[in-house]
Amino acid sequence: MSTLRVNKISKIYEKHPVLDRISFSIESGEFVGIMGPSGSGKSTLLRSLGTLDHPTNGEVWMKDENPFELQQKDLARFRRKKLGFVFQQFDLLDTLTVEENILLPLILNKDDIPFMKQRLQEVTTELGIEKLVKMRIDSLSGGQKQKTAIARAIIHHPELLLADEPTGSLDSRASHEIMEIFYSLHKQNKTTILLVTHDPVIASYCDRLLFLKDGRLYNEIYKGGNQKEFFQKIVDMLALLGGDRRDFYTVNFPKYDP
Ligand SMILES: Nc1ncnc2c1ncn2[C@@H]1O[C@H](COP(=O)(O)OP(=O)(O)OP(=O)(O)O)[C@@H](O)[C@H]1O
Ligand SMILES: [Mg+2]
């Protein structure tokens, strides 16, 4: 069974269609990216799939559940149990410590303390941040903050990990480090990931890419070969897609050498 099935979802803001009848599925364990020019609806799509926004029409199925059919209270629980979020601006609580931030989903879920300790140990070791657990967020580097945010997003074993421009605030080195983490979550843990990015280098870590244009699903491509070949395919697709090239080429591009 697919982890996620999206059936003709649309989103209309003030009569302006931002998402237009988008359909696709994601299988369990897939690592899928979403690309498209600025304003094409990437964040709106991700927020809708994450139940942070409500589509105007269409259906979203996570396994056999349609979250938009749930009551408000059950929807909050669904989001907390089944989804993990990573954002460009980290969205951490700055005055709390790394460990307090990471544990939040388990605290909200009223999990027991031994389980929390065990999971904290596991995720911080996995992400190489076990020495940072007592530090306050506002004393960390951008890369360390994003690792903390990823740890918080996966501590409860979500069925779907959603990331919106997770490297958008990071330099090239930290961006690659963060993408190696996503790649390893996908390869080692079989985590199902859906990630939005502007950047063809970042996108080349994914296995499949969906391209949006003006709120519609324009095309999709699969990796097939190696990362460098995929990168070239992505650049070619972006050229076809048109739009402002400055939308795509970021600080990472000239330094890229896979
Ligand atoms: N809350 C809102 N109210 C009205 N319009 C909105 C709202 N959120 C997004 N939009 C509009 O929807 C369109 C798509 O926005 P969205 O943020 O999804 O694009 P995006 O592809 O993520 O762009 P970017 O690459 O710049 O992040 C834009 O035209 C935007 O102005
Ligand atoms: Mg966006």
Side-chain angles (χ1 to χ4, degrees):
M1 189 189 290
S2 306
T3 288
L4 177 74
R5 269 185 304 131
V6 180
N7 188 16
K8 291 189 186 149
I9 67 163
S10 298
K11 178 76 189 178
I12 298 170
Y13 283 123
E14 294 143 20
K15 298 191 183 155
H16 174 64
V18 171
L19 298 178
D20 189 5
R21 289 162 292 165
I22 291 184
S23 300
F24 63 93
S25 297
I26 296 185
E27 300 306 312
S28 176
E30 264 196 296
F31 185 8
V32 179
I34 300 176
M35 296 194 83
S38 187
S40 59
K42 303 180 297 296
S43 295
T44 306
L45 176 60
L46 211 73
R47 277 205 313 277
S48 299
L49 304 180
T51 74
L52 302 172
D53 209 334
H54 205 297
T56 313
N57 285 302
E59 291 175 335
V60 175
W61 290 92
M62 293 254 320
K63 300 257 167 82
D64 52 0
E65 254 182 317
N66 178 344
F68 296 109
E69 286 175 347
L70 299 173
Q71 305 283 346
Q72 202 58 34
K73 190 168 121 293
D74 295 329
L75 182 61
R77 187 170 170 280
F78 173 91
R79 196 182 295 135
R80 219 166 58 226
K81 291 270 243 196
K82 308 258 166 117
L83 301 172
F85 296 95
V86 180
F87 299 103
Q88 176 173 355
Q89 299 301 339
F90 321 120
D91 278 38
L92 298 162
L93 299 169
D94 277 345
T95 56
L96 298 186
T97 63
V98 166
E99 107 186 320
E100 287 162 344
N101 270 277
I102 295 174
L103 285 173
L104 271 177
L106 303 189
I107 293 168
L108 290 171
N109 215 29
K110 301 190 173 66
D111 284 313
D112 60 42
I113 306 253
F115 177 71
M116 286 194 208
K117 282 191 175 158
Q118 184 202 328
R119 283 299 294 147
L120 181 71
Q121 175 72 35
E122 285 168 2
V123 291
T124 53
T125 308
E126 191 173 358
L127 298 191
I129 51 172
E130 64 272 44
K131 294 208 170 68
L132 305 180
V133 287
K134 300 294 178 198
M135 286 176 73
R136 269 170 57 130
I137 298 300
D138 49 16
S139 63
L140 302 180
S141 70
Q144 290 170 332
K145 285 182 187 173
Q146 201 56 303
K147 287 180 195 171
T148 303
I150 295 172
R152 181 186 59 182
I154 61 168
I155 193 162
H156 56 300
H157 292 299
E159 281 178 16
L160 179 63
L161 179 57
L162 297 166
D164 194 351
E165 305 272 8
T167 61
S169 301
L170 305 177
D171 63 22
S172 185
R173 194 187 56 78
S175 296
H176 282 289
E177 227 185 301
I178 291 300
M179 290 315 295
E180 292 293 341
I181 290 172
F182 279 108
Y183 190 74
S184 152
L185 289 172
H186 157 62
K187 276 283 171 212
Q188 313 300 330
N189 304 8
K190 313 284 179 232
T191 306
T192 311
I193 304 170
L194 184 58
L195 176 147
V196 166
T197 181
H198 274 90
D199 187 322
V201 177
I202 298 304
S204 68
Y205 283 88
C206 300
D207 280 346
R208 171 158 70 109
L209 289 174
L210 308 174
F211 291 84
L212 293 190
K213 186 175 183 177
D214 302 328
R216 305 188 83 154
L217 194 54
Y218 176 81
N219 212 335
E220 68 177 318
I221 55 174
Y222 285 82
K223 188 181 255 161
N226 65 30
Q227 193 175 356
K228 192 165 186 177
E229 288 163 2
F230 195 38
F231 170 75
Q232 195 50 53
K233 261 202 227 178
I234 297 166
V235 172
D236 294 345
M237 181 55 70
L238 293 177
L240 258 182
L241 198 63
D244 186 343
R245 293 176 79 82
R246 281 170 305 181
D247 281 353
F248 301 113
Y249 296 139
T250 70
V251 62
N252 293 304
F253 180 63
K255 295 180 190 156
Y256 184 55
D257 184 20

